[in-house]
Amino acid sequence: MRNKLVAVAVGAMVAFGGAAAAQDAAAQPKPGAKAPAAGKAEATWWGHAAFVLRTPGGAVIAIDPWLTNPKAPKDVAQPEALDAILITHGHFDHVGEAKALAQKTGAKVYGSFELVNLLGLPEAQAVGANAGGTFQVKDATIHLVEAVHSSSYQADPKGAAQYAGAPLGYVIEIEKGPTVYHAGDTGAFESMALIATQFKPTVAMLPIGGHFTMGPAEAAQAARLLKVKSVVPMHYGTFPLLQGTPDALRGELKKLKNSAKVLDLEPGKATAL
């Protein structure tokens, strides 16, 4: 799998590096956006598994910030202000621009102990932890939970991969807002039922592309275990290998007689959760 990921990484850099540079030159980032109205939380999908959450209390949280991925919006400026950056695991398509964003914004970076150490961040910004950890960021309580995947990190796409600790998911409890579960890259696993019991998430961001993660059928089972009201599909359509679709997920949920709503987020558009 590593060889495939390296090939994809190199291809993505060649194909989209120029576009990203042109975007940076053309669009001036806007300073910290206005917080959502009281009682509302917003998510902006940046394509793939990348999201920026804004809470009613003003927390701005980036998750798996590969903001130059092939599906990323080309006319939206990257965030100028961040309070926290959450990384689920070490693969390039999830670490993304985390280090550069941390340097620009001063945000703390959360992830597995091994991965955060590999990033070479200042001690004040590096929050290496593991499943079971809990942290407070303004009005958001962030819980680290397990995921079923692999994790390695390459600072240089042509260099050797290094062990990056266990993969993670995140449960984000938002005061006066929803509880959001970002599964990271994972297959479905029975302990999702424990996540449901312990944290009671209402919104689940689930990978549906298949091949490296669960596809629509597994994601539907995950939604059943999690007992969520809404599912935000992610990690699909970025590359030809990731063939799952939101419509396929709807079909699988229907087979299970599950009423969870599938929320197709448009890249770059802030959506109330």
Side-chain angles (χ1 to χ4, degrees):
M1 185 179 77
R2 187 182 73 186
N3 291 338
K4 289 183 180 180
L5 284 171
V6 171
V8 171
V10 173
M13 288 181 179
V14 171
F16 298 101
Q23 175 188 346
D24 289 343
Q28 293 297 320
K30 298 177 182 178
K34 187 177 179 181
K40 296 291 184 181
E42 292 179 348
T44 302
W45 186 39
W46 280 78
H48 205 57
F51 293 86
V52 175
L53 298 183
R54 297 179 185 275
T55 72
V60 186
I61 301 168
I63 310 173
D64 283 354
W66 186 28
L67 304 185
T68 57
N69 70 78
K71 296 295 184 181
K74 302 300 185 286
D75 57 350
V76 178
Q78 294 186 8
E80 278 285 287
L82 289 172
D83 295 294
I85 298 169
L86 315 182
I87 308 176
T88 61
H89 63 290
H91 295 155
F92 80 95
D93 55 327
H94 295 262
V95 175
E97 290 77 49
K99 187 171 182 178
L101 285 168
Q103 291 171 335
K104 181 173 74 170
T105 67
K108 290 185 176 182
V109 177
Y110 297 78
S112 74
F113 178 80
E114 292 83 357
L115 173 59
V116 170
N117 282 342
L118 289 173
L119 293 177
L121 297 162
E123 185 176 351
Q125 289 180 265
V127 187
N130 219 314
T134 296
F135 302 91
Q136 193 72 33
V137 178
K138 293 185 177 177
D139 60 335
T141 304
I142 300 170
H143 305 280
L144 282 62
V145 296
E146 68 179 300
V148 178
H149 195 58
S150 61
S151 181
S152 58
Y153 175 69
Q154 291 171 282
D156 179 350
K158 296 181 180 179
Q162 295 176 277
Y163 173 67
L168 296 168
Y170 290 91
V171 177
I172 304 165
E173 291 185 275
I174 301 172
E175 186 179 344
K176 298 181 181 179
T179 296
V180 180
Y181 168 53
H182 186 294
D185 276 8
T186 191
F189 53 94
E190 284 288 346
S191 293
M192 286 179 171
L194 179 59
I195 292 173
T197 298
Q198 186 172 5
F199 302 114
K200 298 177 175 57
T202 53
V203 180
M205 297 170 170
L206 300 180
I208 66 166
H211 195 90
F212 296 114
T213 70
M214 55 190 170
E218 271 194 294
Q221 293 289 351
R224 177 186 62 81
L225 290 165
L226 292 161
K227 300 179 182 179
V228 290
K229 296 179 180 179
S230 302
V231 177
V232 176
M234 65 175 183
H235 208 281
Y236 69 93
T238 321
F239 308 114
L241 285 173
L242 309 183
Q243 296 183 5
T245 66
D247 283 343
L249 174 59
R250 288 187 182 93
E252 295 295 338
L253 287 168
K254 187 175 181 180
K255 291 178 185 178
L256 296 178
K257 298 181 180 179
N258 189 313
S259 61
K261 183 178 180 181
V262 177
L263 302 178
D264 291 13
L265 300 194
E266 179 184 337
K269 182 179 178 180
T271 304
L273 295 175

